[in-house]
């Protein structure tokens, strides 16, 4: 299949379809619009956290000798902050890439609680700041490949999901992790539309969730996570398509059975539970062989598991990845 994806085709028969003027703007946008002065209070907040390295993190400069790269960091050039925060998929705010940045002001990321429940020793509801204080914050520069055929490189700040799962003390029945995003049409105007079923839900197999690359982000470019990128807490699974990275999480549940996931509820023939980045398995409506890196001209080849095959391929030994797409 050689079709290139129209980038707004991911949505299932959206009732209102608006053109996306953002796209042309992005192609010509200039690099490095961020400045240290622009960091503001968010940086302060994060630099007080245990283990935070925010003082070494500057918008648009991270990855350029500001700190040594760690074993989990991509060596790719980081996508400029301006682009990573204005070209977003977050259907709770609308289906246009520009909607989240425009409307994210209605999302109130504090106070915020996260319910931890299901197959765990002691279910509880915890305040986001308490949850965050349980772990030292780490930087992770990860590639992010959207199923629509574009990609970015994001400098996240957060903690490995594995630490949180271990702290939740799974029972012997726990086989999967289910994530649930906030349901509140007052904060998320897009939830008044039935374009997807709400709340947005996602899931991982327990061994995937325990992999050291699976990450919970609370910050981006050394600043607190902007609303449009999933404040105050979002999942990042860099070897899977971007839609697995559920934003604005309010509940994490360990389950015995494979949980439902939003995009496979919407269109099961097009979006599976695994959603591992795979250039050999095309989307029914477009090729997945190449991608457009935001900020670059032309397209580049898409790598198996988004370039993380060495780390994660063994999770899927013996599985038919065409069937389990
Ligand atoms: N709650 C929620 N999470 C979501 C989405 C969404 O619509 N709602 N979109 C997903 C998709 S399709 C992508 S590509 C990424 C985009 O993340 P970013 O805007 O931070 O780059 O978020 C994912 N997480
Ligand atoms: Mo996506």
């Amino acid at each position: 299949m050689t079709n290139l994806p129209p980038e707004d085709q991911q949505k299932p028969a959206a009732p209102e379809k608006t053109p996306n003027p953002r796209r042309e703007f992005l192609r010509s946008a200039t690099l490095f619009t961020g400045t240290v002065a622009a960091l503001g209070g968010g940086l302060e907040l994060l630099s007080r956290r245990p283990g935070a390295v925010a003082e070494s993190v500057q918008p648009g400069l991270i990855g350029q000798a500001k700190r040594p790269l760690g074993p989990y960091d991509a060596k790719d050039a980081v996508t400029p902050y301006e682009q990573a925060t204005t070209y977003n998929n977050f259907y709770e705010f609308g289906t246009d890439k520009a909607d989240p940045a425009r409307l994210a002001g209605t999302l109130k990321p504090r106070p915020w609680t996260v319910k931890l429940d299901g197959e765990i020793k002691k279910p509880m509801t915890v305040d986001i700041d308490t949850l965050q204080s349980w772990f030292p914050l780490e930087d992770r520069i990860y590639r992010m490949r959207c199923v629509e055929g574009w990609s970015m490189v994001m400098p996240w700040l957060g903690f490995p999901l594995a630490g949180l799962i271990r702290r939740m003390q799974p029972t012997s029945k726990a086989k999967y992790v289910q994530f649930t995003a906030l349901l509140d049409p007052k904060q998320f105007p897009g939830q008044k539309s039935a374009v997807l079923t709400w709340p947005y839900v996602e899931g991982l197999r327990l061994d995937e969730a325990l992999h050291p690359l699976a990450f919970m982000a609370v910050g981006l470019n050394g600043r607190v996570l902007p609303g449009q990128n999933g404040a105050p807490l979002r999942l990042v699974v860099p070897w899977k398509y971007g839609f697995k990275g559920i934003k604005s999480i309010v509940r994490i549940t360990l389950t015995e059975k494979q949980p439902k996931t939003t995009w496979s509820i919407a269109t099961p023939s097009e979006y599976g539970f695994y959603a591992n980045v795979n250039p050999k398995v095309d989307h029914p409506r477009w090729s997945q062989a190449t991608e457009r890196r935001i900020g670059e001209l032309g397209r580049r080849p898409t790598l198996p598991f988004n370039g993380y095959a060495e780390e994660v391929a063994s999770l899927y030994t013996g599985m038919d990845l065409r069937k389990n797409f």
Side-chain angles (χ1 to χ4, degrees), residues 10 88-89 91 97 144-150 200 241-244 263 271:
Q10 184 185 2
N88 303 98
N89 274 332
Y91 279 22
K97 296 286 185 290
M144 205 269 292
R145 167 57 156 88
C146 177
V147 74
E148 296 165 334
W150 53 268
Y200 196 100
Y241 289 118
F243 67 81
K244 297 295 287 184
W263 278 98
Y271 310 101

Side-chain angles (χ1 to χ4, degrees), residues 22 25-26 29-35 59-60 78-88 97 101 152 154-155 220-221 223 226 228-229 294:
R22 194 87 231 160
F25 164 76
L26 280 166
T30 47
L31 303 178
F32 305 137
T33 49
T35 64
V78 167
T79 301
Y81 186 77
E82 158 68 16
Q83 298 190 338
T85 55
T86 56
Y87 187 86
N88 303 98
K97 296 286 185 290
M152 294 193 190
M154 313 280 277
L220 179 66
N221 283 66
R223 314 165 74 164
Q228 59 267 40
N229 295 91
I294 299 299

Side-chain angles (χ1 to χ4, degrees), residues 72-130:
Y72 299 115
D73 287 317
K75 292 178 185 67
D76 311 39
V78 167
T79 301
Y81 186 77
E82 158 68 16
Q83 298 190 338
T85 55
T86 56
Y87 187 86
N88 303 98
N89 274 332
F90 199 166
Y91 279 22
E92 283 88 336
F93 290 118
T95 57
D96 193 277
K97 296 286 185 290
D99 287 336
R102 190 165 57 82
L103 299 169
T106 57
L107 172 62
K108 295 282 165 267
R110 295 289 189 290
W112 189 278
T113 59
V114 183
K115 189 176 186 180
L116 308 174
D117 66 349
E119 290 297 338
I120 63 175
K121 294 266 154 64
K122 241 181 68 199
M124 66 169 91
T125 296
V126 59
D127 180 77
I128 181 63
D129 291 310
T130 304

Side-chain angles (χ1 to χ4, degrees), residues 165-186:
I165 303 280
R166 292 212 174 86
R167 198 178 161 113
M168 288 165 73
Q169 301 187 63
T171 70
S172 58
K173 282 189 188 160
K175 298 283 181 303
Y176 295 90
V177 189
Q178 177 178 45
F179 302 85
T180 308
L182 177 70
L183 175 65
D184 183 356
K186 284 202 198 82

